[in-house]
Amino acid sequence: MTARIGVVTFPGTLDDRDALRAARLAGAEPVSLWHRDKDLKQVDAVVLAGGFSYGDYLRAGAISRFSPVMETIIEQAKAGMPVLGICNGFQILTEAHLLPGAMLRNNHLHFICRDQKLRVENAETAWTSDYTEGQEIEVPLKNMDGRYVADERTLDELEAEGRVAFRYLDMNPNGSLRDIAGITNAAGNVVGLMPHPEHAVEPLVGTGKTDGLGFFTSILKKLVNA
């Protein structure tokens, strides 16, 4: 069985080809998905790639959430299909209420682009099983609206249920509450994070490391062994 990983392209998406390449390098069959098409082409998992869909008008991810493809993705995600939202994809997942909280403008009001250290807090999701809890990884980060916020009750629930998937190390680049860099839903099939693992899958590009490849090998193993 060859797992099929779909990557959605919205108007303004920048990192779809990188995500497709990462899926291919992990051994999956990458499948391009267009935002106006409800058909997911029988993919086994979906990646919402980074960028500035619809120019981040209204709020980042607010318009993309209503694209036809999202109707099917929301339905399938609730039924258990693995979905990964990276940067703008994370923003879309919060707008679609597949993940709690919201993404606001960075607290310093500047676009930031840097290599970012993260600590893996949950290695039991569909997208993180090839990591170990407490493992430190380094992947690129680039965002303007990357500050994760939620009310105290939601934050406490995320902490208590082990749903904080990644936390920023060394510095908090955007003011995200509790240094949260990524979260998961209760079922562990939907994960969102601001940093870009798809830019850290080959030693010649990105950070010069392959710390991000584990996202794609994790989901491949889950799908093949399902």
Side-chain angles (χ1 to χ4, degrees), residues 3-219:
R4 290 165 57 84
I5 299 180
V7 178
V8 181
T9 300
F10 299 91
T13 297
L14 301 178
D15 302 309
D16 44 349
R17 291 190 179 185
D18 301 78
L20 288 165
R21 181 171 179 80
R24 183 181 297 109
L25 287 171
E29 179 184 350
V31 180
S32 296
L33 301 174
W34 182 237
H35 75 113
R36 291 182 61 85
D37 189 354
K38 291 184 179 182
D39 182 9
L40 298 185
K41 301 180 181 179
Q42 297 181 316
V43 299
D44 302 295
V46 167
V47 176
L48 302 177
F52 301 89
S53 61
Y54 289 95
D56 281 350
Y57 288 112
L58 300 183
R59 289 183 309 276
I63 300 177
S64 295
R65 176 261 180 272
F66 293 101
S67 287
V69 72
M70 287 303 300
E71 181 179 331
T72 310
I73 289 174
I74 291 169
E75 177 184 311
Q76 292 298 311
K78 290 180 177 179
M81 185 181 71
V83 179
L84 175 66
I86 303 171
C87 195
N88 189 225
F90 187 10
Q91 295 159 346
I92 295 170
L93 289 177
T94 61
E95 291 289 339
H97 304 298
L98 287 174
L99 292 175
M103 311 303 302
L104 300 181
R105 188 64 49 93
N106 295 343
N107 61 342
H108 45 72
L109 302 181
H110 294 287
F111 180 85
I112 187 169
C113 183
R114 68 187 305 271
D115 292 342
Q116 178 66 50
K117 288 185 178 180
L118 306 174
R119 182 172 63 243
V120 179
E121 302 281 33
N122 185 332
E124 298 180 0
T125 79
W127 298 92
T128 60
S129 61
D130 258 4
Y131 297 106
T132 57
E133 183 178 337
Q135 181 177 348
E136 297 182 7
I137 63 175
E138 188 173 10
V139 297
L141 171 79
K142 49 177 186 175
N143 63 68
M144 182 68 184
D145 299 89
R147 178 162 55 108
Y148 180 75
V149 299
D151 60 74
E152 286 298 312
R153 179 180 177 179
T154 298
L155 292 170
D156 289 343
E157 286 179 355
L158 290 173
E159 300 277 13
E161 296 172 7
R163 291 171 55 195
V164 176
F166 297 91
R167 232 181 279 269
Y168 295 116
L169 286 182
D170 294 345
M171 70 166 288
N172 185 324
N174 44 40
S176 291
L177 297 180
R178 304 193 188 183
D179 299 328
I180 291 174
I183 61 175
T184 178
N185 67 343
N189 63 304
V190 179
V191 171
L193 79 161
M194 285 310 297
H196 288 261
E198 79 281 14
H199 294 330
V201 295
E202 295 178 282
L204 293 179
V205 295
T207 60
K209 303 177 181 179
T210 59
D211 290 4
L213 192 59
F215 283 82
F216 301 91
T217 55
S218 293
I219 191 60

